[in-house]
Amino acid sequence: MAITFDDGPVEITLEILKVLAKYKCRAGFFCIGKNIAAQPKIFKEIIKAGHLVGNHTYTHTRKMGALSVSRMIWEIQECNKIAEETAGIKMNLFRPPFGIVSPKTQKALQETGLQSVGWSIRSFDAVLSSEEIILNRIKKRIKPGAVILLHDNNAKTVKILEQLLVFLEQNNYEVVRPDKLLKINAYS
């Protein structure tokens, strides 16, 4: 199974990286371009630790579904540009903010050549306040091949992640990078 994080890199990402290292797990981080620009050292730390990084647009606007194709292309290209300038990598994978894959987003992905990566378990860690409810929500849905969505810009996610990794270890699940699980190329 795979664990993914959206919305970083931010300071909390460093705590997430420590927990992942403690359990020797690799994950996927779908990064916002403006956050890469603001936190280039953290972005490089994600890569240095062996995790996947992917495109999560440049601004992560709440108006995602209303964007024109040209604006969506700009969002994708700007995020990839800052990633390449910061770490010398060309990201192939894209996760749309809020999971919105409209016909416009699909056209933008065709134009940019990126591949969309979703999830099968949405934790709701960005909206629910109870760590216990979030963790139980994930645990009830766990099965081989699952891709879990968490957010690395939320302090409670650090505790949830550690408890989740203990549960997965106790139940003999292996956590792998999403590109390995899905057999796709993260970079070009």
Side-chain angles (χ1 to χ4, degrees):
M1 61 164 310
I3 298 174
T4 62
F5 298 90
D6 285 6
D7 297 349
V10 294
E11 286 293 324
I12 296 164
T13 306
L14 295 171
E15 297 304 312
I16 299 278
L17 292 174
K18 287 178 189 173
V19 173
L20 291 168
K22 178 179 175 181
Y23 292 89
K24 297 176 178 60
C25 293
R26 300 286 180 268
F29 289 81
F30 289 89
C31 300
I32 298 172
K34 66 181 183 178
N35 290 348
I36 297 170
Q39 299 288 352
K41 289 181 182 175
I42 297 174
F43 184 69
K44 289 178 190 174
E45 280 298 315
I46 296 169
I47 296 164
K48 183 180 170 187
H51 303 289
L52 170 148
V53 289
N55 188 315
H56 198 46
T57 71
Y58 189 79
T59 65
H60 197 290
T61 177
R62 291 204 164 276
K63 299 175 185 172
M64 220 56 229
L67 295 182
S68 66
V69 173
S70 62
R71 177 60 190 211
M72 194 67 216
I73 290 170
W74 180 89
E75 289 277 348
I76 292 168
Q77 288 176 335
E78 283 300 301
C79 184
N80 267 20
K81 181 180 168 189
I82 193 68
E84 188 170 357
E85 289 171 359
T86 302
I89 58 163
K90 293 184 181 184
M91 300 184 294
N92 283 343
L93 305 180
F94 174 77
R95 175 166 288 159
F98 315 106
I100 297 171
V101 185
S102 68
K104 293 176 187 177
T105 302
Q106 289 175 330
K107 179 119 174 85
L109 289 171
Q110 287 174 337
E111 292 287 323
T112 58
L114 269 65
Q115 182 175 351
S116 183
V117 175
W119 57 82
S120 59
I121 300 174
R122 187 174 185 180
S123 66
F124 287 100
D125 63 331
V127 292
L128 297 173
S129 58
S130 168
E131 293 170 17
E132 184 180 353
I133 289 172
I134 294 165
L135 185 61
N136 286 336
R137 178 180 168 71
I138 297 168
K139 286 169 32 175
K140 283 192 295 191
R141 291 165 173 79
I142 293 286
K143 62 182 180 189
V147 177
I148 299 171
L149 167 63
L150 294 165
H151 293 82
D152 60 330
N153 64 346
N154 194 322
K156 71 177 168 275
T157 300
V158 178
K159 291 178 189 170
I160 292 166
L161 175 64
E162 181 135 24
Q163 293 172 54
L164 174 61
L165 292 174
V166 167
F167 171 83
L168 294 173
E169 198 174 78
Q170 290 171 344
N171 288 277
N172 299 313
Y173 280 96
E174 180 185 4
V175 178
V176 297
R177 281 180 22 169
D179 55 329
K180 305 292 183 226
L181 180 72
L182 302 171
K183 296 179 174 69
I184 53 179
N185 292 322
Y187 310 111
S188 55

